[in-house]
Amino acid sequence: MNKGKIYLIPNMISDSDIDTAIPRDVISVVQGIHHFIVEDVRTARRYLRKIGYLQNFDTEVEFFILNKHTDLMEIIGFLAPALASKDMGLISESGVPCVADPGNLIVELAHQYDIQVVPLVGPSSIILSLMASGFNGQNFAFVGYLPIDDKEKSRKLKDLENKILHEDQTQIFIETPYRNQKLFQFITKVCSEKTMLCVACNINASDEFIKSKSIENWKKSKLDINKKNTIFLLYK
Amino acid sequence: MNKGKIYLIPNMISDSDIDTAIPRDVISVVQGIHHFIVEDVRTARRYLRKIGYLQNFDTEVEFFILNKHTDLMEIIGFLAPALASKDMGLISESGVPCVADPGNLIVELAHQYDIQVVPLVGPSSIILSLMASGFNGQNFAFVGYLPIDDKEKSRKLKDLENKILHEDQTQIFIETPYRNQKLFQFITKVCSEKTMLCVACNINASDEFIKSKSIENWKKSKLDINKKNTIFLLYK
């Protein structure tokens, strides 16, 4: 018996129109899937309806919940439909699955069980911000969240500046939206005046804002990114 | 006078159908643009026609060529249409512009001239391979090409393995297609048996092949990636 495939299904990163971010074939692939691994059932249902999914959620669809509370032992059971030759979908809360979220645990298992994984094209705020930053896209790193403790955060930023200078590598990171403004101020205080900072805010939305300046010039500007989804990029 | 915007226009990464990789709105944005910055005029024209661009190339469209032979001083002139309030498009030969190509030089200049840069969603083989690898997507680096010299390449691979172990960071790199097979053999020779290697081949094409295994298990397998577009990913 052939195994089913696991499709990695992109989600939106803004409330703009589907056609700004999701290729049409993603929509048709989704129609054939009845088993989804998701972070949150309610938002997954809403997204599936938004892109035109037609199945009855109560009688025809099974959801498996993968989030930080999920027991690792439980995850193995999630792959049962694929092992029984059914195609499955993995959907993130935002953007493409397995990037800046723990979806890779499912994919890691899928490789062990020799289940084919099919990544579908969609929006990644990391890649979109890198494209629009003007920074080096031939060598870059995404390092997730910086440490919360100020001393450690300061040390980390110095470490990232070091990699920019000595490895010519763009450094990308994120923060919880309500801490964005504080992080921005911290960066301008700790980093060298010559270091370049790109602030990429509400990407793919109507109020998208992406701006690269030296720390020296950011110090002279006003910026309100409080509670807005933001990606930070540093380069020389 | 308002300045024009620079749209970063994704290209295909395989010869599959447009709707597998390009959101519909990209196609409608392109229709309104008459000034394109491209790596190669012939392939850019072919791509624009493929996605349904209707303007007359000989009388209505201006192309600026940005590749490794382009003089940096010349690039400033490329922005003239945007400064004269015309929207422009930057198109890569493959995938999204400014990632794994030198398009970021234009975007860097655009920020200096306060020209708005709009990144459009499309396929990135780096992100698609990361999604499908099962490796850490919360901390990863793309380092471009490895050194050609065997001694330096070996040292670089050891350095990448070090970052995997001590920074928990997935390491992603590429090679010229005709050297893929040799690089694969080199990796299996130099890297630790426990290191995980993902080989992602012809992404988004009908013969897409993506497989993650330990070096120990790759040594027991046969693999033919000669002249196929391939992304290599290493993790623990």
Side-chain angles (χ1 to χ4, degrees):
Chain A
M1 193 171 63
N2 284 331
K3 288 168 190 158
K5 296 174 188 172
I6 297 186
Y7 289 93
L8 308 180
I9 299 164
N11 203 328
M12 305 287 290
I13 54 171
S14 74
D15 60 359
S16 69
D17 190 74
I18 289 288
D19 277 337
T20 65
I22 309 293
R24 284 287 170 99
D25 276 9
V26 172
I27 300 166
S28 48
V29 165
V30 166
Q31 303 294 353
I33 300 179
H34 296 254
H35 305 272
F36 295 96
I37 301 163
V38 303
E39 285 183 65
D40 180 88
V41 172
R42 213 167 49 100
T43 54
R45 283 180 178 214
R46 197 185 306 142
Y47 172 62
L48 285 167
R49 282 291 182 249
K50 189 171 173 182
I51 64 172
Y53 184 70
L54 298 168
Q55 309 294 339
N56 183 321
F57 285 130
D58 297 321
T59 60
E60 300 182 295
V61 184
E62 188 177 12
F63 287 102
F64 300 90
I65 300 168
L66 173 66
N67 59 34
K68 57 187 174 183
H69 306 296
T70 309
D71 191 325
L72 280 180
M73 295 308 293
E74 207 185 324
I75 292 179
I76 299 173
F78 291 2
L79 295 178
L83 293 170
S85 82
K86 312 271 191 211
D87 288 340
M88 301 187 70
L90 173 61
I91 313 178
S92 170
E93 279 294 281
S94 174
V96 291
C98 308
V99 176
D101 76 37
N104 64 301
L105 297 174
I106 282 288
V107 176
E108 190 185 346
L109 267 181
H111 280 286
Q112 287 171 25
Y113 283 90
D114 222 16
I115 293 167
Q116 191 185 338
V117 177
V118 184
L120 302 178
V121 175
S124 158
S125 49
I126 297 167
I127 285 293
L128 290 164
S129 66
L130 177 66
M131 288 159 67
S133 67
F135 297 168
N136 191 3
Q138 299 180 74
N139 191 350
F140 62 90
F142 171 71
V143 300
Y145 294 87
L146 302 191
I148 290 176
D149 176 76
D150 276 1
K151 234 181 211 166
E152 285 174 50
K153 184 158 39 217
S154 175
R155 207 178 299 134
K156 182 73 184 180
L157 281 167
K158 289 289 165 200
D159 176 45
L160 298 182
E161 279 189 301
N162 208 32
K163 283 182 174 157
I164 292 163
L165 287 176
H166 296 105
E167 302 179 25
D168 194 27
Q169 187 175 63
T170 301
Q171 302 295 325
I172 311 172
F173 48 92
I174 48 175
E175 182 51 289
T176 314
Y178 76 90
R179 287 208 199 103
N180 277 341
Q181 194 71 28
K182 221 179 126 188
L183 178 60
F184 171 73
Q185 271 141 13
F186 194 88
I187 294 168
T188 56
K189 208 178 68 184
V190 168
C191 288
S192 154
E193 297 234 308
K194 282 186 181 161
T195 296
M196 294 294 294
L197 166 67
C198 178
V199 177
C201 215
N202 291 346
I203 297 172
N204 207 225
S206 55
D207 60 347
E208 175 179 276
F209 169 86
I210 305 171
K211 196 71 213 162
S212 296
K213 293 185 196 184
S214 67
I215 296 293
E216 185 181 6
N217 283 327
W218 275 119
K219 280 183 178 172
K220 298 175 195 158
S221 331
K222 274 188 186 162
L223 180 70
D224 175 15
I225 53 173
N226 189 30
K227 292 185 187 167
K228 294 174 186 166
N229 286 320
T230 303
I231 314 270
F232 298 90
L233 304 92
L234 289 177
Y235 190 54
K236 64 187 175 185
Chain B
M1 191 172 62
N2 283 330
K3 288 167 190 159
K5 297 174 187 172
I6 297 186
Y7 289 93
L8 307 180
I9 299 164
N11 203 328
M12 305 288 290
I13 54 172
S14 75
D15 60 358
S16 68
D17 189 75
I18 288 289
D19 278 335
T20 66
I22 309 293
R24 285 289 170 98
D25 276 9
V26 172
I27 301 166
S28 48
V29 165
V30 166
Q31 302 297 351
I33 300 179
H34 297 253
H35 305 272
F36 296 96
I37 300 162
V38 303
E39 285 183 67
D40 180 88
V41 172
R42 212 168 50 99
T43 54
R45 282 179 177 214
R46 197 185 306 140
Y47 172 62
L48 284 167
R49 282 291 182 250
K50 190 172 172 183
I51 63 172
Y53 184 71
L54 298 168
Q55 309 294 339
N56 183 321
F57 285 130
D58 297 320
T59 59
E60 300 182 296
V61 184
E62 187 177 13
F63 287 103
F64 300 89
I65 300 169
L66 173 67
N67 59 33
K68 57 186 175 185
H69 306 295
T70 309
D71 190 324
L72 279 179
M73 294 308 293
E74 207 185 324
I75 291 179
I76 299 173
F78 290 4
L79 296 178
L83 292 171
S85 82
K86 312 271 189 212
D87 287 341
M88 301 187 71
L90 174 62
I91 312 177
S92 170
E93 278 295 280
S94 174
V96 291
C98 308
V99 177
D101 77 36
N104 65 302
L105 297 175
I106 282 289
V107 175
E108 190 185 346
L109 267 181
H111 280 287
Q112 287 171 24
Y113 284 90
D114 221 17
I115 293 166
Q116 191 184 341
V117 177
V118 184
L120 301 178
V121 175
S124 157
S125 50
I126 297 167
I127 283 294
L128 291 163
S129 67
L130 176 67
M131 289 160 66
S133 67
F135 297 168
N136 191 3
Q138 299 179 74
N139 192 350
F140 61 90
F142 171 72
V143 300
Y145 294 87
L146 302 191
I148 290 174
D149 176 75
D150 276 1
K151 235 183 210 164
E152 284 174 49
K153 184 157 41 216
S154 175
R155 206 178 300 135
K156 182 74 185 182
L157 282 166
K158 289 290 165 199
D159 175 46
L160 297 182
E161 278 188 301
N162 208 33
K163 283 183 175 158
I164 292 163
L165 288 175
H166 297 105
E167 302 179 24
D168 193 28
Q169 187 175 63
T170 301
Q171 302 295 326
I172 311 171
F173 49 92
I174 48 176
E175 182 52 290
T176 314
Y178 75 90
R179 288 209 197 104
N180 277 340
Q181 194 71 28
K182 220 178 127 190
L183 177 60
F184 171 74
Q185 271 140 13
F186 194 87
I187 294 169
T188 57
K189 208 178 67 183
V190 168
C191 288
S192 156
E193 296 234 311
K194 283 186 180 161
T195 295
M196 295 293 296
L197 166 68
C198 179
V199 177
C201 216
N202 291 346
I203 298 172
N204 207 226
S206 55
D207 61 346
E208 175 178 277
F209 169 86
I210 305 172
K211 197 72 212 158
S212 296
K213 293 186 197 184
S214 66
I215 296 293
E216 186 181 9
N217 283 328
W218 276 118
K219 281 182 177 172
K220 299 173 194 160
S221 332
K222 275 187 184 161
L223 179 71
D224 175 14
I225 52 172
N226 189 29
K227 293 188 186 165
K228 294 174 186 166
N229 287 320
T230 303
I231 314 271
F232 299 89
L233 303 92
L234 291 176
Y235 191 54
K236 62 185 177 186

